[in-house]
Amino acid sequence: MVERNFLPLLIISQSQNNAEKINSILRGAGHAVRSSWVATLDDAESAIQAQKPALILCFLKVPEAPINDVIGLQQRLCPD
């Protein structure tokens, strides 16, 4: 198992500004994060497969990535 020195984070939001704010807050608090931002379910699927994020943050009102569909992706692709 590869040990990471950072927290791989996937942020699903309509606005990249939301992702940048979260990234800034976490880094300001001293957490090493490597975040990715996506706005659609297809992009979320690709990001989950490529990154295997330790944490997925999904804003509730993302029309192109409904929360129930994101949960299904997570359970199917990254169940841990």
Side-chain angles (χ1 to χ4, degrees):
M1 179 176 214
V2 176
E3 187 175 326
R4 298 178 182 168
N5 296 329
F6 60 88
L7 175 71
L9 172 66
L10 176 61
I11 301 169
I12 304 169
S13 170
Q14 284 183 289
S15 169
Q16 188 171 5
N17 289 337
N18 293 332
E20 290 173 1
K21 286 178 188 176
I22 291 169
N23 197 33
S24 177
I25 290 167
L26 289 172
R27 287 186 177 182
H31 300 286
V33 295
R34 182 170 294 162
S35 64
S36 298
W37 166 74
V38 297
T40 69
L41 194 61
D42 288 339
D43 290 342
E45 182 172 5
S46 296
I48 291 170
Q49 289 174 332
Q51 184 181 4
K52 299 293 186 207
L55 182 63
I56 299 172
L57 299 176
C58 182
F59 283 67
L60 289 177
K61 298 194 179 197
V62 182
E64 298 295 321
I67 188 72
N68 289 334
D69 293 344
V70 172
I71 291 168
L73 273 179
Q74 179 273 319
Q75 290 174 341
R76 182 170 52 89
L77 298 175
C78 195
D80 295 337

